[in-house]
Amino acid sequence: PRRTTAGMTAWMRIGRIGRPTAVFAAVGCAGVTALSGLAHARSPEKIRINYFNIMGPAEQARLALVVGGIEFEDVRHDRAAFMAMKEAGELPYGQLPTMEVDGKAIAQSGAIAYYCANIAGLTPADPLEQAKVHEIDQFISQDIRERILIPTMRIKDPAEKAAARAVAATELLPAKLALLEAQIGPSGYFVGESPTLADLQFYATANWIGMGVLDGIPGDVILQFPKLTKLVRTLNDNPRIKAWNAEKNPKLPWC
């Protein structure tokens, strides 16, 4: 959109410090009101996340809402319900998870997680830090989950699957986790001084591995990296995550 010179000054200030109130002197009440609407979306009245009764790709979004203290309806479907939703045309891409925000549907796990992190206050104000969060989130999603872990789930032959997971556990995963270990900041989180979507993505993935769901890939593969292990334990101790896991994920914590 076009912006006046004063409006551009305000926009730049907001991007720099993330505080719309700091621009009153530059553009006045009317300008701040308009710009604040861009920076802060209206809080939803009802959020509903639809997925199966597992953590999977929906867990990152669930955790974001949990950490942010935002109430939501956590709906767990069985296969019969999923197929009924699919046949009824209720799933935009024929898949779960989906999310409904005040009756409006959103699909794809990444988009759902980004939205939940934004409204939960887990997104850094600085655009460069936002990009860093997405960088790490994408690395975990693509390079670890999609290129290492998920392909082993598609292997039917038991011996072939065991061999593939042995390579994943001893070679592929350690190499990727070493790169992630180097990204942990002085605070113990990936970006900034508090949890972001990047931390929750790793936490969900580490729990998937650590719970022993993937036969042949033990949690020890993570425990050899002290900073990553500390991050998992820090999030285990978050009071809201601890309560969530006690109710929804009784096999946690695994470390």
Side-chain angles (χ1 to χ4, degrees):
R2 294 184 60 188
R3 308 184 188 110
T4 64
T5 301
M8 182 63 75
T9 301
W11 183 271
M12 291 172 67
R13 282 184 168 181
I14 288 174
R16 223 170 25 238
I17 62 176
R19 293 177 183 154
T21 55
V23 302
F24 269 95
V27 296
C29 274
V32 171
T33 300
L35 290 172
S36 295
L38 294 172
H40 301 285
R42 178 182 63 85
S43 297
E45 295 181 2
K46 183 177 181 180
I47 300 174
R48 170 187 171 115
I49 293 181
N50 300 289
Y51 193 55
F52 301 108
N53 191 28
I54 57 174
M55 292 189 296
E59 192 67 6
Q60 188 184 16
R62 293 168 178 156
L63 286 170
L65 296 176
V66 167
V67 172
I70 296 176
E71 293 186 3
F72 68 103
E73 188 178 358
D74 177 37
V75 184
R76 312 270 177 134
H77 298 283
D78 58 19
R79 180 167 177 78
F82 162 66
M83 293 305 297
M85 294 171 70
K86 187 174 182 178
E87 291 171 4
E90 297 176 10
L91 307 177
Y93 303 103
Q95 302 169 332
L96 289 175
T98 62
M99 176 176 65
E100 298 162 33
V101 180
D102 293 340
K104 296 180 180 179
I106 299 292
Q108 299 299 305
S109 58
I112 294 169
Y114 293 156
Y115 174 84
C116 291
N118 283 336
I119 65 171
L122 305 183
T123 301
D126 180 73
L128 191 59
E129 288 190 344
Q130 291 176 21
K132 190 67 179 180
V133 169
H134 294 324
E135 168 195 305
I136 294 167
D137 177 62
Q138 188 172 343
F139 178 82
I140 297 169
S141 176
Q142 292 185 350
D143 289 60
I144 294 180
R145 296 178 72 104
E146 295 177 14
R147 294 174 181 165
I148 297 178
L149 300 178
I150 292 176
T152 68
M153 299 175 67
R154 301 191 182 108
I155 301 173
K156 302 298 183 182
D157 180 76
E160 184 182 351
K161 176 177 285 190
R165 288 195 171 164
V167 172
T170 59
E171 299 177 23
L172 302 180
L173 270 176
K176 299 298 184 183
L177 292 174
L179 297 176
L180 273 182
E181 176 92 347
Q183 296 297 322
I184 296 283
S187 66
Y189 298 107
F190 283 114
V191 181
E193 302 296 320
S194 58
T196 66
L197 201 60
D199 303 294
L200 299 182
Q201 173 71 287
F202 177 73
Y203 184 69
T205 301
N207 286 339
W208 185 27
I209 295 170
M211 287 170 61
V213 176
L214 300 167
D215 294 338
I217 303 181
D220 290 348
V221 71
I222 294 169
L223 297 179
Q224 61 186 296
F225 297 97
K227 292 180 182 179
L228 295 177
T229 300
K230 183 179 178 181
L231 174 58
V232 172
R233 290 173 175 164
T234 295
L235 293 175
N236 282 341
D237 290 337
N238 178 290
R240 288 173 175 170
I241 291 179
K242 181 180 288 189
W244 170 261
N245 285 338
E247 178 184 355
K248 301 287 187 175
N249 303 313
K251 292 184 179 180
L252 296 179
W254 61 274
C255 74

